[in-house]
Amino acid sequence: MRKLIAGNWKMNGSIAANDALVRAVIAGMAGADCSVAVCVPAPYLAQVQMLRHGSALELGAQDVSQHEQGAYTGEVSASMLKEFGARFAIVGHSERRQYHCESDAVVADKAKIALAHGITPIVCVGETLAEREAGRTEEVVKRQLAAVIHANGHCISEIAVAYEPVWAIGTGRTATPEQAQQVHSVLRAQLKAATGHSERIHILYGGSMNAANAASLLAQPDIDGGLIGGASLKAADFLQIIAAACVARA
Ligand code: PGA
């Protein structure tokens, strides 16, 4: 299976910075034996869609509305994302769960509407530090994923999942490969039970993945790629992670 490396730019970028970053990534990833995407702020979808034209770089959004259309000021619909070439949409990122009060049910609806429009939702799950220390990691990630499985039935085989321990996001504190693998194997078993077959769904790791630690994380049997925040904003770092994913291809 080809690994998937997805950049999550979060609320960063400018027309000039995006231009330089995307051109450098495309030049550096030529011939890469893994899938690469960048999930960009919605206003830049059109710019990056043009920049990526003719390359293997895929485009993604960082969120999607759970509604089809209508009076939802500030929201961006799945059909709009699709019109601008989005192949992926991150849903349920912990920053959205935390700062925008997104519940498991809302995240499940977002995944559903993305799938209905042919967009692969990258469903984020992950525990807080307090939950980990209370021994509740498995319970939390299974509950978050179960909501998405419940809402999406057999379509679940079309999603991607990102395990992002909240305590590792943007903190420089990464889960050890063993800690990440442990949770990934739990998620793999849950997905396998839900789909009823062994077809692999990408399970990405996210949380301070960088050029130095990517290889050991991506070498784990159930880590199928990465969702990269800070390190996706520097072409050299992002390209090193992409190179590690190509080497680690299972
Ligand atoms: P980070 O962010 O790599 O900066 O920790 C990852 C994410 O939040 O997707």
Side-chain angles (χ1 to χ4, degrees):
M1 167 192 224
R2 277 164 73 92
K3 304 259 184 198
L4 168 62
I5 299 297
N8 173 12
W9 289 2
K10 308 194 180 186
M11 199 172 72
N12 294 290
S14 68
I15 288 176
N18 305 344
D19 188 87
L21 177 58
V22 171
R23 285 181 198 280
V25 168
I26 289 172
M29 66 179 263
D33 190 18
C34 61
S35 304
V36 183
V38 284
C39 298
V40 310
Y44 295 132
L45 284 166
Q47 181 199 12
V48 179
Q49 187 192 23
M50 275 195 284
L51 285 168
R52 66 169 282 275
H53 187 74
S55 80
L57 180 67
E58 301 275 9
L59 183 56
Q62 298 173 10
D63 184 31
V64 61
S65 173
Q66 72 265 40
H67 306 290
E68 281 288 351
Q69 60 170 45
Y72 300 102
T73 302
E75 294 281 284
V76 178
S77 73
S79 62
M80 294 172 189
L81 299 179
K82 191 72 186 169
E83 279 199 305
F84 285 93
R87 161 86 211 285
F88 298 99
I90 298 171
V91 301
H93 191 281
S94 63
E95 288 151 15
R96 302 232 29 115
R97 292 181 190 261
Q98 189 182 346
Y99 307 139
H100 301 270
C101 303
E102 289 189 6
S103 64
D104 291 343
V106 165
V107 173
D109 284 347
K110 290 184 171 202
K112 188 172 185 172
I113 208 156
L115 286 168
H117 288 269
I119 294 171
T120 301
I122 301 176
V123 177
C124 298
V125 300
E127 82 287 4
T128 63
L129 187 57
E131 288 163 341
R132 172 162 284 268
E133 286 175 345
R136 295 183 50 219
T137 298
E138 286 189 19
E139 168 206 326
V140 170
V141 298
K142 284 171 87 171
R143 186 203 75 222
Q144 292 172 331
L145 185 56
V148 177
I149 291 172
H150 180 73
N152 287 281
H154 68 276
C155 294
I156 205 70
S157 51
E158 305 301 320
I159 72 167
V161 175
Y163 168 54
E164 297 208 313
V166 178
W167 47 271
I169 295 176
T171 58
R173 188 175 162 191
T174 320
T176 65
E178 295 72 28
Q179 283 174 323
Q181 168 57 29
Q182 164 61 24
V183 177
H184 279 235
S185 70
V186 167
L187 296 171
R188 176 85 64 213
Q190 191 179 3
L191 289 167
K192 215 166 169 177
T195 55
H197 51 72
S198 60
E199 188 184 306
R200 269 177 92 97
I201 292 173
H202 277 102
I203 308 179
L204 315 179
Y205 170 79
S208 297
M209 191 189 268
N210 57 39
N213 62 28
S216 56
L217 287 159
L218 292 166
Q220 299 301 310
D222 288 305
I223 300 187
D224 307 318
L227 183 57
I228 323 295
S232 73
L233 297 171
K234 295 184 200 120
D237 291 11
F238 195 49
L239 288 168
Q240 279 193 54
I241 297 170
I242 292 165
C246 294
V247 172
R249 182 177 169 183

